[in-house]
């Protein structure tokens, strides 16, 4: 079983709609959680950190559920420019990064 | 500006040759990582290092080697033993022990010709 798992998608989303997807992790001692965005043929870039109380950054909302060991990302009012692969990242108790394989989002006009 | 730099951006290698990919960071990060990414696939960990002069194999270390002689530098050598080296290689760094977000270099696209 992979340590961090994501639905690969693609999630096809009409422009202006809301899309949400999850990432599950297996290590209950995981410390830090992040969402990254990766565009085709580019390096991943930090989208947002995920805090225990949940956090929002504009149209993006991230949640952490420690009891069920998953994090989620919700994108409201989707833009064409939101089309990308979203990577879930979890750090273990030593701080080592664990990446999910990514969820592809395609926003259509 | 602090950051992480990979070079070269594009690299062509003949079969049977070893090549070394450079990764340098001036963020004072403890941990450094090398990932391989194939088209349409996720990141796969090759090697990682949490401290100078120490490194651990990742999921796909065969055919690769690394060194960590300085905190700032973590070069990756793709050896002739790597059967299918054509891929996009990404270097990342992060702080320890808690683990801050990772910063990535721009990547090296390696093609075997």
């Amino acid at each position: 079983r992979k340590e961090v798992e994501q639905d690969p998608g693609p999630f096809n989303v009409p422009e202006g709609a809301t899309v949400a997807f999850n990432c599950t992790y297996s290590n209950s001692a995981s410390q830090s959680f992040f969402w990254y965005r990766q565009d085709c043929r580019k390096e991943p870039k930090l989208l947002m950190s995920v805090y225990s109380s949940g956090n929002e950054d504009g149209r993006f909302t991230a949640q952490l559920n420690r009891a069920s060991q998953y994090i989620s990302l919700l994108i409201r009012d989707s833009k064409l420019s939101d089309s990308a692969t979203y990577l879930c990242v979890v750090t273990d108790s030593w701080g080592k990064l664990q990446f999910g394989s990514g969820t592809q989002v395609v926003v259509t006009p | 500006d602090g950051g992480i730099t990979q070079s070269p951006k594009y690299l062509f290698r003949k079969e049977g040759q070893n090549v070394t990919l450079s990764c340098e960071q001036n963020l004072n990060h403890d941990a450094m990582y090398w990932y391989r990414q194939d088209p349409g696939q996720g990141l796969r960990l090759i090697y990682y290092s949490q401290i100078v002069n120490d490194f651990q194999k990742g999921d796909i270390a065969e055919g690769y080697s690394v060194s960590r002689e300085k905190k700032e530098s973590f070069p990756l050598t793709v050896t002739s033993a790597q059967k299918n080296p054509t891929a996009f290689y990404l270097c990342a760094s992060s702080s320890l022990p808690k683990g801050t977000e990772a910063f990535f270099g721009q990547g090296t696209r390696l093609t075997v010709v």
Side-chain angles (χ1 to χ4, degrees), chain B residues 3-15:
Chain B
I4 180 166
T5 303
Q6 283 186 247
S7 62
K9 191 172 182 180
Y10 298 96
L11 185 58
F12 296 89
R13 188 194 94 171
K14 291 182 180 179
E15 283 196 33

Side-chain angles (χ1 to χ4, degrees), chain A residues 24-91:
Chain A
T24 59
Y25 60 94
S26 60
N27 185 352
S28 59
S30 297
Q31 293 209 52
S32 303
F33 308 87
F34 308 96
W35 283 105
Y36 279 72
R37 170 194 171 124
Q38 186 177 25
D39 294 296
C40 189
R41 302 174 70 86
K42 298 281 190 181
E43 75 276 21
K45 293 187 177 177
L46 180 69
L47 178 67
M48 57 197 302
S49 302
V50 186
Y51 303 120
S52 297
S53 55
N55 48 300
E56 191 174 302
D57 183 359
R59 298 181 292 107
F60 297 85
T61 301
Q63 297 279 352
L64 168 63
N65 186 319
R66 281 194 182 272
S68 300
Q69 295 184 203
Y70 73 86
I71 65 173
S72 63
L73 182 67
L74 182 145
I75 308 174
R76 286 187 304 279
D77 188 22
S78 297
K79 312 291 185 191
L80 296 176
S81 58
D82 294 334
S83 296
T85 297
Y86 291 85
L87 301 171
C88 168
V89 182
V90 175
T91 66

Side-chain angles (χ1 to χ4, degrees), chain B residues 7 17 21-22 38 59 80:
Chain B
S7 62
Q17 283 184 336
L21 282 56
S22 170
D38 293 287
D59 302 316
S80 56

Side-chain angles (χ1 to χ4, degrees), chain B residues 45-61:
Chain B
L45 182 64
I46 305 172
Y47 269 99
Y48 71 100
S49 169
Q50 296 179 299
I51 195 170
V52 173
N53 292 324
D54 187 49
F55 46 83
Q56 288 80 43
K57 292 182 179 180
D59 302 316
I60 56 164

